[in-house]
Amino acid sequence: MTAIRLLLVDDDPLVRAGLTFMMGGADDIEIVGEGADGDEVEALVDRTRPDVVLMDIRMPNVDGLAATERLRGREDAPQVVVLTTFHADEQVLRALRAGAAGFVLKDTPPAEIVEAVRRVAAGDPVLSPAVTRQLMEHAAGPGPDTRRTHARTRIAVLNDREREVAVAVGRGASNAEIAAGLFMSVATVKTHVSRILAKLDLNNRVQIALLTYDAGLLEELEEDGH
């Protein structure tokens, strides 16, 4: 089995040391490099070719938001998981909109951080139901009406089945859960997700989820009693 190549980026050496220690017990994860600021990330990625970057949001020169945007704009970009001390705030939303595959709290139990890296490397976003609720509450932000109109226009390109899958992704459902709920195979779900990403020009499932929040689709779902 090929080990997951992981790059750590955090300006606090103690945090990096702690992450290195906890990852050291995972046989399937290899730390290929460390960085202390966002301005180092692109050069480190070119040199170490990581599968996943675990990156702090707040850094002194170039923060994790800008670094994530730069990385996700590249071809064959690694997945990014942002580290934060907050459960949800505008910075986290910006990171997810920039293409981060999810985020973990710095006080998350070590085993869960290790599992988050594994999940993201496998293509699954780190977005728990509890987090989706917080994101829904924070997603409106400035200009919610304009954002909703824009989101609904984008969502309109999806057919009915793709829209159902997009809403399920927005609820934080896994491929297996979507397959069971919509009576289709997991392979078919994956095909729909790939088509949704292509049609909407998005990077990952988290961005699908955020677009469904912006469009108000989950609010409609709750109003219908689902």
Side-chain angles (χ1 to χ4, degrees), residues 25-197:
D27 295 336
D28 57 340
I29 297 175
E30 176 189 4
I31 297 177
V32 295
E34 295 183 19
D37 198 88
D39 59 5
E40 305 175 38
V41 171
E42 288 190 276
L44 284 168
V45 166
D46 288 338
R47 186 166 70 247
T48 64
R49 300 294 178 184
D51 301 305
V52 179
V53 180
L54 190 56
M55 181 152 49
D56 189 19
I57 286 185
R58 291 176 173 82
M59 292 182 284
N61 296 315
V62 175
D63 65 24
L65 300 175
T68 297
E69 289 170 351
R70 293 175 185 178
L71 278 185
R72 295 306 298 171
R74 296 162 48 126
E75 292 186 6
D76 300 321
Q79 297 292 345
V80 177
V81 178
V82 295
L83 284 165
T84 179
T85 54
F86 297 93
H87 284 264
D89 62 13
E90 186 59 31
Q91 287 189 318
V92 171
L93 286 168
R94 285 178 56 200
L96 296 179
R97 293 185 197 285
F103 66 91
V104 294
L105 302 177
K106 288 188 175 181
D107 61 358
T108 297
E112 292 183 21
I113 295 180
V114 172
E115 186 59 27
V117 171
R118 290 179 177 136
R119 284 179 54 191
V120 167
D124 292 327
V126 182
L127 198 64
S128 69
V131 170
T132 63
R133 171 63 59 185
Q134 291 174 323
L135 290 177
M136 287 174 64
E137 293 172 354
H138 287 77
D145 291 339
T146 300
R147 182 176 294 162
R148 175 160 295 192
T149 299
H150 178 66
R152 285 179 178 270
T153 299
R154 294 184 66 187
I155 289 286
V157 305
L158 303 180
N159 61 39
D160 290 343
R161 203 56 163 165
E162 290 165 347
R163 182 185 172 107
E164 287 178 330
V165 172
V167 170
V169 170
R171 295 175 63 191
S174 66
N175 286 341
E177 290 168 340
I178 296 172
L182 296 180
F183 305 102
M184 61 177 71
S185 70
V186 171
T188 301
V189 174
K190 291 180 179 179
T191 298
H192 280 308
V193 171
S194 295
R195 288 175 179 169
I196 293 167
L197 291 170

